[in-house]
Amino acid sequence: MASLEFSHIYNHVVNHLLKGLSPSLTYHGIHHTLDVLEQVERLAAEEGVDKKEDLLLLKIAALYHDSGFLTAYKGHEEVGCELAKKELPGFGVNEKNIEKICGMIMATKIPQSPHNEFEKIICDADLDYLGRNDFFTIAHSLFQELKALGMVKDENEWNHIQVNFIGKHKYFTPSSIRDREKSKQKHLKEVERLIEPE
């Protein structure tokens, strides 16, 4: 698999997402996919992933990990995996590598369940924002999305959901544990303070 193929896959998926994703996806928009792609590359470098083919598979998985949102909200990981199986052979990706890519996509399903190093990297890339300085901005975009879909009624309910989610979440790679965990715990405390008493 040559690196040239990645630019073809990138252009194809990005164009598809730009045209097809609903504007109500204020969190799961193209910006999220590109952020996960960026974090996958950073984490792969920090975790010592040095084989070009491994990095390529990680990057393809990042592009497809939320592509299922084109047609489904619930179960979007399965849909994204089916899309990858349908489209990637046309780009010269073999069945064995497509299985690895699908494993990475499925690992991001909440609660995350990575089984190998690459799945751990994409899981941490997907929820990297929990321990970042732009946490509150990104969390608000997810609140807006869930509210538009009728999945959450107000900010107080949302803050309860966040406390529960962040409290259970864990990073898997040494890099994310080192660079993100401390800030994530700080954000958890800040969100706890926002909860209004019943």
Side-chain angles (χ1 to χ4, degrees), residues 54-92:
D54 291 339
L55 181 58
L56 187 55
L57 294 181
L58 267 164
K59 286 162 66 177
I60 295 169
L63 282 177
Y64 274 95
H65 90 284
D66 275 349
S67 62
F69 278 103
L70 287 161
T71 55
Y73 202 91
K74 197 173 165 58
H76 68 269
E77 297 90 356
E78 288 85 354
V79 177
C81 187
E82 288 309 310
L83 195 61
K85 284 178 178 173
K86 187 175 131 196
E87 295 181 351
L88 289 173
F91 292 102

Side-chain angles (χ1 to χ4, degrees), residues 33 41 127 168 189 192-193:
T33 294
E41 291 187 81
L127 292 173
K168 287 179 181 169
K189 287 188 172 64
E192 281 171 341
R193 282 198 290 270

Side-chain angles (χ1 to χ4, degrees), residues 10-80:
Y10 177 91
N11 290 334
H12 169 77
V13 178
V14 167
N15 287 334
H16 204 171
L17 295 176
L18 280 170
K19 285 179 189 155
L21 286 177
S22 163
S24 67
L25 297 173
T26 46
Y27 173 82
H28 288 107
I30 184 74
H31 54 284
H32 170 68
T33 294
L34 297 179
D35 181 50
V36 173
L37 176 61
E38 186 185 328
Q39 303 314 324
V40 151
E41 291 187 81
R42 177 185 61 79
L43 279 169
E46 288 183 9
E47 293 297 316
V49 176
D50 46 16
K51 278 176 71 181
K52 272 189 178 167
E53 184 175 300
D54 291 339
L55 181 58
L56 187 55
L57 294 181
L58 267 164
K59 286 162 66 177
I60 295 169
L63 282 177
Y64 274 95
H65 90 284
D66 275 349
S67 62
F69 278 103
L70 287 161
T71 55
Y73 202 91
K74 197 173 165 58
H76 68 269
E77 297 90 356
E78 288 85 354
V79 177

Side-chain angles (χ1 to χ4, degrees), residues 27 32 35-36 39-40 42-43 58 61-62 65 77 101-130 132 165 169-173 176 180:
Y27 173 82
H32 170 68
D35 181 50
V36 173
Q39 303 314 324
V40 151
R42 177 185 61 79
L43 279 169
L58 267 164
H65 90 284
E77 297 90 356
I101 288 163
C102 278
M104 287 186 255
I105 294 169
M106 292 309 299
T108 66
K109 192 178 177 91
I110 304 299
Q112 294 177 328
S113 57
H115 299 107
N116 59 45
E117 184 189 9
F118 305 135
E119 292 177 10
K120 286 175 181 177
I121 286 172
I122 196 167
C123 282
D124 284 359
D126 194 21
L127 292 173
D128 186 66
Y129 85 97
L130 293 176
R132 262 187 357 220
F165 181 75
H169 171 267
K170 65 175 189 170
Y171 285 118
F172 301 100
T173 61
S176 291
R180 299 287 187 251

